[in-house]
């Protein structure tokens, strides 16, 4: 369940089988006067649009039953609810939901047409807000995918350290120092400083150096964790790995930031 605010009207958006459905009941609050969704649905132009949409996207649409409904739309006595329309035609463009977030929902394509019925201005704003919602969702998906990739590479990195650099007889405290030391190999290769050095320079900042890294830097760090694990398993010494990782960091950041990169090679 997501929400968008259109002209001071809060509108719910839900997923139905992977598709976005917008609450017409919420949208109706933005229309002046006493109107109902059934008033919109009995309109012949509305039915024509829904019928064409269903024919394109819904192979189970009962077009024969729909034709009967459409032919009745010109009569003054004609009236049909969303629930009845869906039951008779097997329509998927409209949904009548009960419960806490109940109301009439429509596929976004249909909902945008409904918005035009409220007002052209309302349609413009709901399309704009919906696009903003989709952009935000994509951003969050990107962050989620990056976090999952970081977790995977972190496990690969720590496992390589455990299997190759930590003797069985060391204490937990000693092992922690080795893990931190290897983490600092990446920090120095990427940022030119260790975690402690960064904290001394930024005493007022909470968290650690990676909390303030850019997206590109985090992508590069995630790649370097994987590469460092490979280098460790190959038996490459830490000083050699540091030089290699620094070179890789500079190259990758140069690519990610269109060659706008002032990082310096370690010697």
């Amino acid at each position: 369940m997501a929400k968008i605010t259109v002209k001071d009207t809060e509108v719910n958006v839900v997923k139905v089988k992977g598709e976005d459905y917008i609450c017409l009941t919420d949208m109706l609050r933005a229309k002046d006067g006493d109107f109902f969704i059934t008033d919109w649905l009995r309109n012949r132009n509305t039915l024509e649009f829904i019928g064409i949409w269903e024919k394109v996207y819904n192979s189970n649409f009962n077009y024969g039953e729909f034709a009967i409904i459409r032919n009745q739309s010109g009569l003054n006595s004609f009236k049909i609810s969303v629930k009845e329309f869906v039951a008779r035609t097997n329509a998927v463009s409209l949904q009548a939901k009960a419960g806490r977030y109940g109301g009439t929902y429509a596929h976004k394509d249909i909902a945008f047409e409904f918005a035009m019925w409220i007002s052209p201005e309302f349609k413009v704003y709901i399309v704009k807000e919906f696009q903003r919602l989709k952009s935000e969702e994509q951003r969050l998906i990107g962050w989620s995918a990056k976090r999952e990739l970081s977790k995977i590479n972190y496990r690969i990195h720590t496992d390589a350290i455990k299997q190759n650099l930590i003797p069985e007889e060391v204490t937990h405290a000693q092992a922690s120092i080795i893990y931190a030391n290897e983490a600092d190999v990446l920090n120095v290769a990427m940022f030119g400083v260790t975690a402690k050095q960064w904290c001394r320079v930024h005493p007022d900042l909470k968290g650690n150096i990676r909390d303030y890294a850019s997206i590109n830097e985090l992508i590069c760090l995630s790649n370097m964790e994987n590469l460092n694990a490979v280098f460790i398993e190959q038996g490459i010494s830490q000083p050699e790995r540091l030089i290699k990782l620094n070179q890789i960091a500079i190259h990758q950041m140069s690519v990610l930031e269109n060659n706008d990169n002032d990082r310096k090679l370690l010697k």
Side-chain angles (χ1 to χ4, degrees):
M1 174 72 69
K3 293 180 184 291
I4 54 177
T5 302
V6 187
K7 301 292 289 179
D8 299 323
T9 302
E10 196 172 74
V11 180
N12 285 314
V13 181
V14 299
K15 287 282 187 184
V16 178
K17 294 182 178 179
E19 295 288 330
D20 291 299
Y21 280 66
I22 302 174
C23 187
L24 304 188
T25 307
D26 292 340
M27 293 167 63
L28 194 61
R29 293 199 299 268
K31 188 170 177 62
D32 294 330
D34 198 15
F35 295 93
F36 303 94
I37 293 172
T38 50
D39 296 328
W40 167 75
L41 189 57
R42 71 195 297 265
N43 182 278
R44 191 176 185 87
N45 289 333
T46 297
L47 289 171
E48 289 283 2
F49 182 78
I50 292 174
I52 293 170
W53 189 95
E54 293 282 352
K55 189 175 182 180
V56 172
Y57 294 104
N58 180 11
S59 60
N60 295 319
F61 186 59
N62 190 333
Y63 205 78
E65 190 66 27
F66 169 76
I68 296 173
I69 295 172
R70 181 187 57 193
N71 291 337
Q72 294 174 337
S73 62
L75 302 175
N76 290 333
S77 60
F78 172 71
K79 198 170 187 179
I80 190 168
S81 69
V82 169
K83 189 174 181 180
E84 181 186 354
F85 180 80
V86 170
R88 290 175 60 180
T89 65
N90 295 323
V92 297
S93 57
L94 300 170
Q95 300 267 328
K97 290 183 172 291
R100 182 180 177 186
Y101 299 106
T104 297
Y105 288 77
H107 188 277
K108 68 180 189 303
D109 297 346
I110 308 300
F112 292 154
E113 292 302 309
F114 182 79
M116 186 68 179
W117 184 68
I118 293 175
S119 76
E121 182 184 27
F122 188 83
K123 180 177 181 179
V124 170
Y125 279 104
I126 197 168
V127 171
K128 180 182 178 182
E129 283 303 303
F130 182 80
Q131 290 172 337
R132 181 198 59 75
L133 173 66
K134 293 292 102 180
S135 295
E136 179 65 13
E137 286 180 354
Q138 289 301 313
R139 187 185 70 80
L140 292 175
I141 289 171
W143 272 103
S144 178
K146 180 183 66 61
R147 284 197 300 270
E148 289 305 312
L149 177 62
S150 296
K151 288 178 183 178
I152 293 169
N153 284 343
Y154 176 77
R155 288 197 297 269
I156 293 171
H157 188 236
T158 54
D159 184 71
I161 296 169
K162 180 180 179 181
Q163 297 299 326
N164 296 275
L165 301 180
I166 300 179
E168 291 183 3
E169 64 273 13
V170 302
T171 65
H172 179 74
Q174 290 171 328
S176 296
I177 293 172
I178 296 173
Y179 283 122
N181 191 14
E182 284 301 322
D184 268 338
V185 169
L186 301 179
N187 289 333
V188 173
M190 185 75 224
F191 305 109
V193 294
T194 65
K196 286 185 178 180
Q197 288 171 337
W198 182 87
C199 288
R200 283 199 295 267
V201 175
H202 303 91
D204 299 328
L205 295 181
K206 295 181 180 180
N208 59 56
I209 188 171
R210 299 189 186 199
D211 293 327
Y212 297 90
S214 68
I215 293 175
N216 287 341
E217 287 171 335
L218 290 174
I219 291 171
C220 188
L221 276 168
S222 181
N223 292 338
M224 288 165 60
E225 281 183 325
N226 194 28
L227 289 168
N228 194 37
V230 174
F231 296 158
I232 289 171
E233 290 172 353
Q234 290 175 346
I236 300 174
S237 69
Q238 189 181 89
E240 289 181 277
R241 286 189 280 112
L242 178 57
I243 297 299
K244 281 178 174 287
L245 291 168
N246 175 243
Q247 292 169 345
I248 291 167
I250 291 173
H251 173 69
Q252 289 195 1
M253 289 301 297
S254 177
V255 172
L256 291 171
E257 298 185 346
N258 297 317
N259 295 316
D260 184 15
N261 181 31
D262 60 357
R263 298 171 197 276
K264 296 180 180 179
L265 286 168
L266 296 172
K267 296 180 180 179

